PDB file of all heavy atoms in Angstrom:
ATOM      1  N   LEU A 266     -98.513  72.757 -48.107  1.00  0.00           N
ATOM      2  CA  LEU A 266     -97.485  71.908 -48.342  1.00  0.00           C
ATOM      3  C   LEU A 266     -97.292  71.676 -49.828  1.00  0.00           C
ATOM      4  O   LEU A 266     -98.208  71.546 -50.562  1.00  0.00           O
ATOM      5  CB  LEU A 266     -97.688  70.579 -47.635  1.00  0.00           C
ATOM      6  CG  LEU A 266     -97.463  70.558 -46.107  1.00  0.00           C
ATOM      7  CD1 LEU A 266     -98.037  69.348 -45.405  1.00  0.00           C
ATOM      8  CD2 LEU A 266     -95.941  70.642 -45.764  1.00  0.00           C
ATOM      9  N   GLU A 267     -96.005  71.429 -50.167  1.00  0.00           N
ATOM     10  CA  GLU A 267     -95.600  71.113 -51.527  1.00  0.00           C
ATOM     11  C   GLU A 267     -94.847  69.749 -51.518  1.00  0.00           C
ATOM     12  O   GLU A 267     -94.306  69.466 -50.441  1.00  0.00           O
ATOM     13  CB  GLU A 267     -94.747  72.278 -52.154  1.00  0.00           C
ATOM     14  CG  GLU A 267     -95.385  73.563 -52.194  1.00  0.00           C
ATOM     15  CD  GLU A 267     -94.328  74.695 -52.739  1.00  0.00           C
ATOM     16  OE1 GLU A 267     -93.213  74.316 -53.084  1.00  0.00           O
ATOM     17  OE2 GLU A 267     -94.871  75.806 -52.872  1.00  0.00           O
ATOM     18  N   LEU A 268     -94.784  69.076 -52.573  1.00  0.00           N
ATOM     19  CA  LEU A 268     -94.109  67.820 -52.657  1.00  0.00           C
ATOM     20  C   LEU A 268     -92.643  67.973 -52.225  1.00  0.00           C
ATOM     21  O   LEU A 268     -92.065  67.105 -51.516  1.00  0.00           O
ATOM     22  CB  LEU A 268     -94.101  67.273 -54.095  1.00  0.00           C
ATOM     23  CG  LEU A 268     -95.490  66.837 -54.606  1.00  0.00           C
ATOM     24  CD1 LEU A 268     -95.329  66.318 -56.028  1.00  0.00           C
ATOM     25  CD2 LEU A 268     -96.159  65.832 -53.677  1.00  0.00           C
ATOM     26  N   GLY A 269     -91.987  69.119 -52.554  1.00  0.00           N
ATOM     27  CA  GLY A 269     -90.669  69.412 -52.134  1.00  0.00           C
ATOM     28  C   GLY A 269     -90.411  69.568 -50.712  1.00  0.00           C
ATOM     29  O   GLY A 269     -89.233  69.733 -50.331  1.00  0.00           O
ATOM     30  N   ASP A 270     -91.448  69.638 -49.930  1.00  0.00           N
ATOM     31  CA  ASP A 270     -91.387  69.845 -48.527  1.00  0.00           C
ATOM     32  C   ASP A 270     -91.082  68.551 -47.767  1.00  0.00           C
ATOM     33  O   ASP A 270     -90.833  68.443 -46.603  1.00  0.00           O
ATOM     34  CB  ASP A 270     -92.611  70.513 -47.935  1.00  0.00           C
ATOM     35  CG  ASP A 270     -92.798  71.947 -48.434  1.00  0.00           C
ATOM     36  OD1 ASP A 270     -91.767  72.565 -48.817  1.00  0.00           O
ATOM     37  OD2 ASP A 270     -93.937  72.361 -48.432  1.00  0.00           O
ATOM     38  N   SER A 271     -91.154  67.424 -48.555  1.00  0.00           N
ATOM     39  CA  SER A 271     -90.873  66.052 -47.998  1.00  0.00           C
ATOM     40  C   SER A 271     -89.383  66.175 -47.563  1.00  0.00           C
ATOM     41  O   SER A 271     -88.471  66.359 -48.324  1.00  0.00           O
ATOM     42  CB  SER A 271     -91.056  65.035 -49.065  1.00  0.00           C
ATOM     43  OG  SER A 271     -92.417  64.886 -49.426  1.00  0.00           O
ATOM     44  N   ALA A 272     -89.220  65.760 -46.269  1.00  0.00           N
ATOM     45  CA  ALA A 272     -87.889  65.924 -45.732  1.00  0.00           C
ATOM     46  C   ALA A 272     -87.872  65.390 -44.264  1.00  0.00           C
ATOM     47  O   ALA A 272     -88.859  65.186 -43.687  1.00  0.00           O
ATOM     48  CB  ALA A 272     -87.305  67.336 -45.685  1.00  0.00           C
ATOM     49  N   LEU A 273     -86.691  65.405 -43.706  1.00  0.00           N
ATOM     50  CA  LEU A 273     -86.457  65.170 -42.247  1.00  0.00           C
ATOM     51  C   LEU A 273     -86.330  66.503 -41.683  1.00  0.00           C
ATOM     52  O   LEU A 273     -85.438  67.187 -42.077  1.00  0.00           O
ATOM     53  CB  LEU A 273     -85.223  64.332 -42.087  1.00  0.00           C
ATOM     54  CG  LEU A 273     -84.924  63.928 -40.570  1.00  0.00           C
ATOM     55  CD1 LEU A 273     -86.028  62.991 -40.023  1.00  0.00           C
ATOM     56  CD2 LEU A 273     -83.597  63.329 -40.504  1.00  0.00           C
ATOM     57  N   TYR A 274     -87.184  66.824 -40.733  1.00  0.00           N
ATOM     58  CA  TYR A 274     -87.174  68.034 -39.986  1.00  0.00           C
ATOM     59  C   TYR A 274     -86.471  67.852 -38.586  1.00  0.00           C
ATOM     60  O   TYR A 274     -86.978  67.103 -37.738  1.00  0.00           O
ATOM     61  CB  TYR A 274     -88.496  68.710 -39.896  1.00  0.00           C
ATOM     62  CG  TYR A 274     -88.946  69.193 -41.253  1.00  0.00           C
ATOM     63  CD1 TYR A 274     -89.665  68.414 -42.163  1.00  0.00           C
ATOM     64  CD2 TYR A 274     -88.635  70.465 -41.739  1.00  0.00           C
ATOM     65  CE1 TYR A 274     -90.022  68.814 -43.389  1.00  0.00           C
ATOM     66  CE2 TYR A 274     -89.021  70.939 -42.948  1.00  0.00           C
ATOM     67  CZ  TYR A 274     -89.733  70.066 -43.801  1.00  0.00           C
ATOM     68  OH  TYR A 274     -90.032  70.528 -45.025  1.00  0.00           O
ATOM     69  N   LEU A 275     -85.422  68.578 -38.474  1.00  0.00           N
ATOM     70  CA  LEU A 275     -84.564  68.304 -37.164  1.00  0.00           C
ATOM     71  C   LEU A 275     -84.640  69.554 -36.358  1.00  0.00           C
ATOM     72  O   LEU A 275     -84.598  70.730 -36.814  1.00  0.00           O
ATOM     73  CB  LEU A 275     -83.155  68.112 -37.491  1.00  0.00           C
ATOM     74  CG  LEU A 275     -82.850  66.687 -38.238  1.00  0.00           C
ATOM     75  CD1 LEU A 275     -81.666  66.688 -39.055  1.00  0.00           C
ATOM     76  CD2 LEU A 275     -82.758  65.659 -37.195  1.00  0.00           C
ATOM     77  N   CYS A 276     -84.746  69.262 -35.023  1.00  0.00           N
ATOM     78  CA  CYS A 276     -84.689  70.337 -34.034  1.00  0.00           C
ATOM     79  C   CYS A 276     -83.535  70.110 -33.288  1.00  0.00           C
ATOM     80  O   CYS A 276     -83.094  69.135 -32.922  1.00  0.00           O
ATOM     81  CB  CYS A 276     -86.031  70.177 -33.176  1.00  0.00           C
ATOM     82  SG  CYS A 276     -86.031  71.094 -31.572  1.00  0.00           S
ATOM     83  N   ALA A 277     -82.836  71.324 -32.892  1.00  0.00           N
ATOM     84  CA  ALA A 277     -81.680  71.215 -32.070  1.00  0.00           C
ATOM     85  C   ALA A 277     -81.769  72.265 -30.885  1.00  0.00           C
ATOM     86  O   ALA A 277     -82.203  73.408 -31.189  1.00  0.00           O
ATOM     87  CB  ALA A 277     -80.463  71.552 -32.896  1.00  0.00           C
ATOM     88  N   SER A 278     -81.300  71.899 -29.764  1.00  0.00           N
ATOM     89  CA  SER A 278     -81.344  72.902 -28.690  1.00  0.00           C
ATOM     90  C   SER A 278     -79.915  73.159 -28.224  1.00  0.00           C
ATOM     91  O   SER A 278     -79.012  72.344 -28.386  1.00  0.00           O
ATOM     92  CB  SER A 278     -82.217  72.421 -27.469  1.00  0.00           C
ATOM     93  OG  SER A 278     -81.528  71.327 -26.805  1.00  0.00           O
TER      94      SER A 278
END
Side-chain angles (χ1 to χ4, degrees):
Chain A
L266 283 166
E267 300 176 0
L268 294 179
D270 297 333
S271 294
L273 180 67
Y274 290 89
L275 291 155
C276 165
S278 75

